[in-house]
Amino acid sequence: IVPLTFASRGAWRMKSWDGYMIMKPFSRGVLIYGEPFTLPRRMSGDDSMERYRERIREAIETIRLEADRRMGIVESSGVGA
């Protein structure tokens, strides 16, 4: 799994669960990826799955904040806000 995110100040954001973004003409953006990691082929129990889900969420959130910082975007109240 490779955590990946994109940020742009010049974009329209859709009011959807994922905050889908459409770049405006001539706007700039930044694409950032984090350290890749693998999941085991087999996991024992829901605890393992939850632990990896949280690891993925944290990795994406870390690079999202960095992408926003590089674009000069201030923290908002969440996705699609």
Side-chain angles (χ1 to χ4, degrees):
I1 295 177
V2 179
L4 178 76
T5 192
F6 182 81
S8 173
R9 286 188 311 209
W12 293 287
R13 293 198 180 265
M14 303 297 109
K15 293 182 180 182
S16 61
W17 67 271
D18 62 351
Y20 186 77
M21 184 185 330
I22 300 172
M23 296 287 294
K24 292 180 180 177
F26 308 107
S27 59
R28 293 184 177 193
V30 63
L31 176 72
I32 297 180
Y33 61 92
E35 284 290 320
F37 57 92
T38 59
L39 301 179
R41 284 186 172 269
R42 297 173 193 252
M43 291 186 225
S44 57
D46 293 336
D47 183 46
S48 293
M49 183 64 85
E50 178 60 24
R51 189 173 55 230
Y52 283 105
R53 185 202 62 80
E54 182 61 22
R55 181 176 174 191
I56 293 166
R57 188 199 64 76
E58 287 175 0
I60 293 171
E61 182 64 10
T62 298
I63 61 173
R64 182 194 66 81
L65 291 171
E66 175 61 18
D68 286 353
R69 184 192 66 76
R70 289 185 187 186
M71 291 307 301
I73 299 171
V74 294
E75 182 67 21
S76 66
S77 60
V79 173

